[in-house]
Short mmCIF file of all heavy atoms in Angstrom, two decimals:
data_model
loop_
_atom_site.label_atom_id
_atom_site.label_comp_id
_atom_site.label_asym_id
_atom_site.label_seq_id
_atom_site.Cartn_x
_atom_site.Cartn_y
_atom_site.Cartn_z
N THR D 1 52.17 -20.24 51.87
CA THR D 1 51.30 -20.40 53.06
C THR D 1 49.93 -20.92 52.55
O THR D 1 48.90 -20.68 53.39
CB THR D 1 51.21 -19.08 54.00
OG1 THR D 1 50.90 -18.12 53.13
CG2 THR D 1 52.50 -19.00 54.68
N THR D 2 49.72 -21.13 51.23
CA THR D 2 48.43 -21.55 50.66
C THR D 2 48.40 -23.05 50.78
O THR D 2 49.21 -23.78 49.96
CB THR D 2 48.42 -20.97 49.29
OG1 THR D 2 48.52 -19.64 49.24
CG2 THR D 2 47.12 -21.53 48.64
N SER D 3 47.63 -23.73 51.65
CA SER D 3 47.70 -25.07 51.95
C SER D 3 47.26 -25.92 50.64
O SER D 3 47.95 -26.97 50.53
CB SER D 3 46.70 -25.47 53.02
OG SER D 3 45.39 -25.04 52.71
N SER D 4 46.33 -25.43 49.78
CA SER D 4 46.04 -26.20 48.61
C SER D 4 47.14 -26.34 47.65
O SER D 4 47.26 -27.26 47.05
CB SER D 4 44.80 -25.65 47.98
OG SER D 4 45.14 -24.39 47.61
N PHE D 5 48.02 -25.24 47.63
CA PHE D 5 49.18 -25.22 46.73
C PHE D 5 50.30 -26.20 47.26
O PHE D 5 50.82 -27.04 46.61
CB PHE D 5 49.72 -23.85 46.63
CG PHE D 5 51.01 -23.70 45.77
CD1 PHE D 5 50.97 -23.90 44.44
CD2 PHE D 5 52.13 -23.50 46.50
CE1 PHE D 5 52.08 -23.69 43.61
CE2 PHE D 5 53.30 -23.40 45.62
CZ PHE D 5 53.25 -23.50 44.22
N LEU D 6 50.49 -26.11 48.59
CA LEU D 6 51.60 -26.93 49.20
C LEU D 6 51.17 -28.45 49.17
O LEU D 6 52.13 -29.29 48.90
CB LEU D 6 51.80 -26.59 50.66
CG LEU D 6 52.13 -25.07 50.91
CD1 LEU D 6 52.43 -24.75 52.44
CD2 LEU D 6 53.41 -24.66 50.12
N ASP D 7 49.98 -28.74 49.18
CA ASP D 7 49.56 -30.10 49.16
C ASP D 7 49.94 -30.75 47.74
O ASP D 7 50.10 -31.92 47.73
CB ASP D 7 47.96 -30.26 49.34
CG ASP D 7 47.70 -30.05 50.89
OD1 ASP D 7 48.50 -30.07 51.63
OD2 ASP D 7 46.55 -29.78 51.17
N ARG D 8 49.88 -30.00 46.76
CA ARG D 8 50.16 -30.39 45.43
C ARG D 8 51.61 -30.69 45.06
O ARG D 8 52.06 -31.52 44.25
CB ARG D 8 49.60 -29.51 44.38
CG ARG D 8 48.15 -29.31 44.27
CD ARG D 8 47.35 -30.54 44.14
NE ARG D 8 47.81 -31.50 43.10
CZ ARG D 8 47.24 -31.45 41.89
NH1 ARG D 8 46.22 -30.48 41.71
NH2 ARG D 8 47.64 -32.13 41.01
N LEU D 9 52.37 -30.05 45.95
CA LEU D 9 53.96 -30.07 45.76
C LEU D 9 54.54 -31.04 46.76
O LEU D 9 55.53 -31.66 46.36
CB LEU D 9 54.59 -28.84 45.87
CG LEU D 9 54.72 -27.95 44.61
CD1 LEU D 9 53.28 -27.48 44.03
CD2 LEU D 9 55.50 -26.54 44.79
N ARG D 10 54.00 -31.13 47.90
CA ARG D 10 54.59 -31.95 48.96
C ARG D 10 54.62 -33.39 48.58
O ARG D 10 53.64 -34.06 48.29
CB ARG D 10 53.82 -31.80 50.31
CG ARG D 10 54.55 -32.44 51.53
CD ARG D 10 53.75 -32.18 52.79
NE ARG D 10 53.96 -30.84 53.08
CZ ARG D 10 52.87 -29.91 53.22
NH1 ARG D 10 51.73 -30.24 52.73
NH2 ARG D 10 53.08 -28.61 53.48
N GLY D 11 55.83 -34.08 48.59
CA GLY D 11 55.87 -35.44 48.16
C GLY D 11 55.87 -35.78 46.77
O GLY D 11 55.93 -36.95 46.33
N THR D 12 55.74 -34.67 45.93
CA THR D 12 55.67 -34.93 44.50
C THR D 12 57.02 -34.87 43.84
O THR D 12 57.85 -34.00 44.06
CB THR D 12 54.71 -33.81 43.81
OG1 THR D 12 53.44 -33.82 44.44
CG2 THR D 12 54.61 -33.99 42.37
N GLY D 13 57.30 -35.90 42.96
CA GLY D 13 58.60 -35.89 42.17
C GLY D 13 59.81 -35.90 43.16
O GLY D 13 60.65 -35.12 42.94
N PRO D 14 59.92 -36.83 44.16
CA PRO D 14 61.03 -36.76 44.98
C PRO D 14 62.31 -37.24 44.42
O PRO D 14 62.35 -38.19 43.66
CB PRO D 14 60.60 -37.63 46.25
CG PRO D 14 59.66 -38.65 45.46
CD PRO D 14 58.91 -37.90 44.44
N LEU D 15 63.35 -36.49 44.70
CA LEU D 15 64.76 -36.82 44.29
C LEU D 15 65.53 -36.82 45.54
O LEU D 15 65.86 -35.74 46.14
CB LEU D 15 65.27 -35.86 43.29
CG LEU D 15 66.74 -36.16 42.83
CD1 LEU D 15 66.77 -37.52 41.97
CD2 LEU D 15 67.17 -35.02 41.94
N THR D 16 65.95 -37.95 46.19
CA THR D 16 66.68 -37.86 47.43
C THR D 16 68.00 -37.28 47.28
O THR D 16 68.65 -37.32 46.19
CB THR D 16 66.79 -39.33 47.98
OG1 THR D 16 67.72 -40.09 47.06
CG2 THR D 16 65.44 -40.07 48.03
N PRO D 17 68.58 -36.56 48.33
CA PRO D 17 69.87 -36.02 48.27
C PRO D 17 70.95 -37.11 47.98
O PRO D 17 71.87 -36.77 47.17
CB PRO D 17 70.00 -35.58 49.70
CG PRO D 17 68.65 -35.19 50.20
CD PRO D 17 67.81 -36.26 49.64
N GLU D 18 70.75 -38.30 48.36
CA GLU D 18 71.66 -39.29 48.04
C GLU D 18 71.77 -39.60 46.54
O GLU D 18 72.86 -39.72 45.97
CB GLU D 18 71.39 -40.61 48.83
CG GLU D 18 72.21 -41.80 48.49
CD GLU D 18 71.89 -43.08 49.20
OE1 GLU D 18 70.80 -43.04 49.89
OE2 GLU D 18 72.57 -44.02 49.06
N ARG D 19 70.57 -39.71 45.84
CA ARG D 19 70.48 -39.91 44.42
C ARG D 19 71.04 -38.71 43.74
O ARG D 19 71.69 -38.85 42.65
CB ARG D 19 69.05 -40.24 44.03
CG ARG D 19 68.96 -40.46 42.53
CD ARG D 19 69.60 -41.84 42.09
NE ARG D 19 69.54 -41.98 40.68
CZ ARG D 19 70.66 -41.74 39.88
NH1 ARG D 19 71.78 -41.17 40.46
NH2 ARG D 19 70.56 -41.89 38.68
N ALA D 20 70.79 -37.49 44.23
CA ALA D 20 71.31 -36.19 43.58
C ALA D 20 72.84 -36.28 43.63
O ALA D 20 73.46 -35.93 42.65
CB ALA D 20 70.68 -35.06 44.31
N ARG D 21 73.32 -36.65 44.70
CA ARG D 21 74.82 -36.72 44.87
C ARG D 21 75.40 -37.83 43.98
O ARG D 21 76.46 -37.59 43.22
CB ARG D 21 75.29 -36.95 46.18
CG ARG D 21 75.11 -35.74 47.21
CD ARG D 21 75.87 -35.96 48.50
NE ARG D 21 75.21 -37.06 49.28
CZ ARG D 21 74.17 -36.90 50.11
NH1 ARG D 21 73.76 -35.67 50.38
NH2 ARG D 21 73.67 -37.86 50.86
N GLN D 22 74.70 -38.92 43.92
CA GLN D 22 75.16 -39.94 43.07
C GLN D 22 75.26 -39.61 41.59
O GLN D 22 76.15 -39.92 40.85
CB GLN D 22 74.35 -41.22 43.15
CG GLN D 22 74.75 -42.49 42.51
CD GLN D 22 73.81 -43.61 42.68
OE1 GLN D 22 72.53 -43.34 42.56
NE2 GLN D 22 74.28 -44.77 42.83
N HIS D 23 74.27 -38.89 41.18
CA HIS D 23 74.15 -38.46 39.71
C HIS D 23 75.05 -37.18 39.42
O HIS D 23 75.46 -37.00 38.33
CB HIS D 23 72.68 -38.10 39.46
CG HIS D 23 72.57 -37.66 38.06
ND1 HIS D 23 72.36 -38.43 36.89
CD2 HIS D 23 72.39 -36.43 37.41
CE1 HIS D 23 72.31 -37.80 35.76
NE2 HIS D 23 72.32 -36.52 36.05
N GLY D 24 75.37 -36.40 40.56
CA GLY D 24 76.12 -35.18 40.31
C GLY D 24 75.10 -34.16 39.91
O GLY D 24 75.35 -33.31 39.07
N ALA D 25 73.78 -34.12 40.48
CA ALA D 25 72.78 -33.16 40.07
C ALA D 25 73.18 -31.82 40.34
O ALA D 25 73.97 -31.56 41.27
CB ALA D 25 71.50 -33.51 40.76
N LEU D 26 72.81 -30.77 39.47
CA LEU D 26 73.27 -29.49 39.55
C LEU D 26 72.06 -28.52 40.16
O LEU D 26 70.91 -28.78 39.95
CB LEU D 26 73.70 -29.04 38.23
CG LEU D 26 74.65 -29.76 37.44
CD1 LEU D 26 74.86 -29.43 35.95
CD2 LEU D 26 75.98 -29.82 38.17
N ALA D 27 72.50 -27.52 40.82
CA ALA D 27 71.66 -26.37 41.31
C ALA D 27 70.46 -26.89 41.98
O ALA D 27 70.58 -27.85 42.81
CB ALA D 27 71.21 -25.59 40.13
N VAL D 28 69.27 -26.40 41.63
CA VAL D 28 68.08 -26.67 42.44
C VAL D 28 67.72 -28.10 42.57
O VAL D 28 67.42 -28.54 43.77
CB VAL D 28 66.79 -25.89 41.95
CG1 VAL D 28 65.61 -26.27 42.56
CG2 VAL D 28 67.04 -24.33 42.03
N PRO D 29 67.77 -29.02 41.59
CA PRO D 29 67.49 -30.43 41.85
C PRO D 29 68.32 -31.19 42.79
O PRO D 29 68.01 -32.11 43.31
CB PRO D 29 67.65 -30.99 40.36
CG PRO D 29 67.37 -29.87 39.36
CD PRO D 29 67.96 -28.72 40.12
N SER D 30 69.48 -30.61 43.02
CA SER D 30 70.45 -31.28 43.99
C SER D 30 69.95 -31.16 45.49
O SER D 30 70.08 -32.11 46.27
CB SER D 30 71.93 -30.70 44.01
OG SER D 30 71.87 -29.32 44.47
N ALA D 31 69.23 -30.06 45.79
CA ALA D 31 68.57 -29.81 47.09
C ALA D 31 69.40 -30.37 48.23
O ALA D 31 68.93 -31.01 49.08
CB ALA D 31 67.22 -30.44 47.07
N LYS D 32 70.67 -30.00 48.30
CA LYS D 32 71.49 -30.54 49.29
C LYS D 32 71.17 -30.14 50.66
O LYS D 32 71.46 -30.98 51.65
CB LYS D 32 72.97 -30.04 49.03
CG LYS D 32 73.50 -30.57 47.72
CD LYS D 32 74.99 -30.07 47.46
CE LYS D 32 75.53 -30.63 46.13
NZ LYS D 32 76.82 -30.14 45.81
N SER D 33 70.56 -29.05 50.93
CA SER D 33 70.18 -28.56 52.20
C SER D 33 68.82 -29.11 52.72
O SER D 33 68.38 -28.78 53.87
CB SER D 33 70.26 -27.03 52.36
OG SER D 33 69.23 -26.57 51.51
N HIS D 34 68.02 -29.88 51.98
CA HIS D 34 66.75 -30.33 52.21
C HIS D 34 66.64 -31.80 52.10
O HIS D 34 67.18 -32.40 51.13
CB HIS D 34 65.78 -29.74 51.45
CG HIS D 34 65.70 -28.18 51.60
ND1 HIS D 34 64.93 -27.53 52.56
CD2 HIS D 34 66.35 -27.17 50.89
CE1 HIS D 34 65.18 -26.18 52.45
NE2 HIS D 34 66.00 -25.93 51.55
N VAL D 35 66.07 -32.56 53.02
CA VAL D 35 66.01 -33.97 53.01
C VAL D 35 65.00 -34.48 51.93
O VAL D 35 65.26 -35.44 51.26
CB VAL D 35 65.70 -34.52 54.40
CG1 VAL D 35 65.61 -36.02 54.32
CG2 VAL D 35 66.81 -34.20 55.35
N ALA D 36 63.79 -33.94 51.93
CA ALA D 36 62.71 -34.50 51.07
C ALA D 36 62.95 -34.49 49.74
O ALA D 36 62.70 -35.59 49.07
CB ALA D 36 61.41 -33.70 51.37
N GLY D 37 63.59 -33.61 49.10
CA GLY D 37 63.92 -33.64 47.67
C GLY D 37 62.79 -33.54 46.79
O GLY D 37 62.83 -33.93 45.56
#
């Protein structure tokens, strides 16, 4: 809930779920339940 922290992470280093599935990404990087990635 720290806005200055969230601002640094939001939109940073995105990996789309589609690309994660295509690669067969594992664990956290796959982020299957979240769209932003």
Side-chain angles (χ1 to χ4, degrees):
T1 53
T2 302
S3 58
S4 62
F5 177 74
L6 301 182
D7 288 344
R8 298 306 306 271
L9 272 64
R10 187 178 291 111
T12 300
L15 178 68
T16 66
E18 180 183 3
R19 181 68 187 97
R21 286 191 294 270
Q22 185 183 42
H23 181 81
L26 306 172
V28 173
S30 66
K32 294 179 180 178
S33 59
H34 299 272
V35 176

